[in-house]
Amino acid sequence: MKLRLRMLIPLILTVPALLTADFSAAAEKRLNVVSTLPNFGSIASAIAGDRIDLTVIASGTQDAHFVDPKPSYIVKLRKADLLLVNGLDLEIGWVPPLTQGARTARLMPGGAGYIDCSAGIRVVEIPLSLSRTEGDVHPYGNPHYLTDPLNAEVVAGTIAEALKKADPAGAQAYEDGRKAFVRRLHEALFGKDLVDLAGGSKLSREAQAGTLDAFLDGTSVGGSPLRAHLGGWLGKMQAAKGKAFVTYHKDYSYFAERFGIRVVEFVEPKPGISPSAKHLEELLTRLKQGDVAAILTRPYVEHRSTDYVAERTSVKVLTLPIEVGGAPEATDYFKLFDYTTDQIVRALTGGSPAAGR
Ligand SMILES: [Zn+2]
């Protein structure tokens, strides 16, 4: 009897130790996800929580077209299970040098870990002929699709599928995470009240088909049209609908379509091309028509050109981020739109921007 107890005691003592070891081993097996840009990182993080270890390469204050491919990122890539990219050649100047440096076939186009988030996106401004002549940096169409929040719904689906494939044990968690993200996105865009009444998926379909206005005006609930329940970013941005804007780069095409604003001119004559003196004079002439509500520029571009035209007209200049982290307030994908829509509406209603210029 004594002997058996002696044998049992070490066993009892080692069981909890074994369990702990098992748990930490599982924790160490967390997926290693690298995202080229902060917005994809924010969406992946919302879906996967602490099931993944996330590294984001570019910061929100960097121009996504031109990021320095630092060797430290190569080290991160060697350990990565998944690489989330924008695609449409947005990162053509800096992702290939990194994946080639890391020598990880799975993270190169066609590899199991290479996740092109533009899959399933309805790309706009696709040129008739593929050309980089004169430096156009949008050879496959406009790559800034996450400026439309509804495209994040598509991207969330792409990322969730990739996570499920790479980590089947977490499939249910990723699906739950995706659903929660999309629900939150719909509520942020349309307002919770309207989502509760009409359903987020229905609203999303109408908005993507360009029939949301007709649906809201033509559908009544309890004697009042659904439009009366529109809230969220879209509700707020009704004040900006139809208003004319100038953007520095051609990076608000999807945003403009979603929120019904008009982008009538660009500070850059072509995406990626700095403005000439002649182009700035033409822009000045356009601005003197007096209908442009504001010039929307970015944290990482030169400000001389916008200062030049702003000094000669009364047009406001707003420096707005298009990526998470591009302003201190834009701490995640939701806060990015909270902030940008606030700033735009504030500029229109005569208030001065809360931050920036
Ligand atoms: Zn661009």
Side-chain angles (χ1 to χ4, degrees), residues 65 90 137-138 143-144 249-251 271:
H65 284 290
L90 179 68
V137 292
H138 293 173
H144 306 287
H249 182 70
K250 207 174 198 175
D251 54 12

Side-chain angles (χ1 to χ4, degrees), residues 103-127:
R103 291 193 200 135
T104 40
R106 68 179 178 281
L107 302 183
M108 293 187 189
Y114 181 88
I115 311 304
D116 183 339
C117 293
S118 71
I121 297 291
R122 194 173 52 84
V123 177
V124 301
E125 297 158 10
I126 299 173

